[in-house]
């Protein structure tokens, strides 16, 4: 793999160069739709699936640029750096890359064996973690590109192949196609129908115990959370520490508020997770609620107001959100994305 010797299509140079100069003069990003899925499908004998899905690889198996000796732990970073090298080869070095679309299909036909819910879950979850780590790329470790996940809903009327209709985080009736793994990195995008979510103490060793204790006291007091199970002798009393008791109280309050994302904050010491925090005989409120409900797929005709129930959440300071296929039209999307960046 060579990123340094990459160029834009030279037949389009008369169009691309003025565009890059305009972006440079206006301090605007170069917006690109980057899909490691397609690169992998076209180069399965050369690109490891693990590298495409952001899975860890031994140093010896990482992709190596023979010209720069840069090692790439994932394919998306290589694609971003290829864009930077392409701009550099046109003497443009002050334009950043913004990834306007990336993602992974959750379903495919017989010729698309890698379009699966598991791979879609892995790619998008690891993508979010990678961006939030703010590690940049091997060429530009100081610059982390903003990334938009494609897309919010599946598009069931899309023409074949099957994967084209299955890039969404949600089905058309607003039920989730799969649940992203967000444990440890804050709030995430979900619908009100995504029942398997919990509110627990932030997985951060820097959480202040005084703030945590104050949040626990509020949840069990003014917040009216049901804290009976964390009393001495009850099923969730052990382990007997503030973090364990606070997690149970936070989840009790969060569930009582209809799992509203705003109800899982507690001055920054709480987070939403899809991992069930129940342990032993201690069953968290979120899991108790699940046992009392029958899972069912809501008919599209019964979900006409589903769009009103969706919540866009900002992943801390990074802009990772889902957008639909209006972004396929690059120039139409230019104005829209500028609004996102203001």
């Amino acid at each position: 793999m060579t990123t340094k010797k990459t160029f834009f299509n030279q037949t389009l140079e008369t169009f691309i160069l003025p565009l890059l100069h305009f972006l440079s003069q206006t301090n605007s990003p170069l917006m690109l739709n980057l899909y490691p899925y397609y690169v992998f499908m076209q180069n399965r004998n050369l690109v490891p699936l693990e590298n495409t899905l952001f899975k860890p690889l031994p140093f010896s198996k990482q992709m190596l640029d023979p010209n720069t000796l840069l090692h790439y732990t994932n394919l998306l970073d290589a694609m971003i750096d290829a864009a930077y090298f392409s701009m550099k080869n046109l003497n443009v070095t002050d334009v950043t890359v913004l990834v306007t679309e990336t993602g992974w299909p959750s379903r495919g036909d017989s010729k698309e064996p890698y379009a699966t819910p598991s791979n879609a879950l892995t790619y998008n979850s690891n993508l979010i973690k990678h961006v939030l780590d703010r590690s940049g790329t091997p060429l530009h470790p100081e610059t982390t590109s903003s990334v938009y996940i494609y897309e919010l809903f599946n598009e069931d009327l899309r023409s074949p192949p099957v994967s084209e209709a299955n890039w969404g985080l949600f089905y058309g009736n607003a039920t989730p196609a799969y649940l992203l793994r967000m444990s440890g990195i804050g709030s995430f995008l979900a619908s009100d129908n995504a029942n398997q979510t919990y509110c627990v103490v932030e997985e951060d060793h820097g959480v202040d115990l005084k703030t945590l204790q104050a949040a626990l006291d509020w949840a069990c007091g003014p917040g009216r959370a049901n804290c009976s199970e964390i009393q001495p002798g009850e099923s969730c009393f052990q382990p007997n520490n503030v973090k364990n008791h606070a997690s149970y109280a936070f989840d009790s309050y969060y569930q009582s508020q209809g799992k509203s994302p705003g109800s899982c904050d507690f001055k920054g010491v709480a987070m939403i997770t899809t991992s069930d925090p129940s342990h032993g005989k201690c069953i968290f409120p979120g899991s108790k609620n699940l046992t009392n409900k029958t899972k069912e797929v809501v008919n599209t005709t019964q979900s006409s107001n589903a769009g009103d129930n969706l919540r866009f959440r900002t992943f801390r300071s990074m802009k990772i959100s889902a957008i639909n296929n209006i972004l396929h039209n690059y120039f139409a999307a230019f104005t829209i994305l500028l609004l996102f960046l203001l």
Side-chain angles (χ1 to χ4, degrees), residues 18-59:
L19 172 62
L20 292 177
H21 287 162
F22 171 77
L23 296 178
S24 174
Q25 294 166 5
T26 58
N27 194 30
S28 301
L30 175 65
M31 296 182 289
L32 298 174
N33 299 342
L34 301 179
Y35 288 101
Y37 170 77
Y38 289 124
V39 175
F40 167 75
M41 290 296 290
Q42 295 167 6
N43 301 274
R44 276 181 275 180
N45 295 327
L46 299 175
V47 180
L49 178 63
E50 292 80 4
N51 196 282
T52 310
L53 297 175
F54 297 92
K55 290 185 176 182
L57 280 176
F59 187 80

Side-chain angles (χ1 to χ4, degrees), residues 210-274:
K210 290 184 178 180
T211 303
L212 192 58
Q213 182 65 59
L216 170 60
D217 293 341
W218 184 91
C220 293
R224 297 184 178 181
N226 184 351
C227 297
S228 60
E229 294 296 318
I230 56 175
Q231 301 305 312
E234 299 300 328
S235 59
C236 293
F237 179 72
Q238 297 292 344
N240 181 17
N241 57 59
V242 176
K243 182 177 180 181
N244 176 63
H245 292 176
S247 286
Y248 187 93
F250 291 174
D251 192 53
S252 176
Y253 178 78
Y254 171 69
Q255 303 298 332
S256 72
Q257 299 300 308
K259 293 176 293 185
S260 168
S263 65
C264 184
D265 179 66
F266 297 96
K267 294 187 177 181
V269 298
M271 69 176 190
I272 298 175
T273 179
T274 58

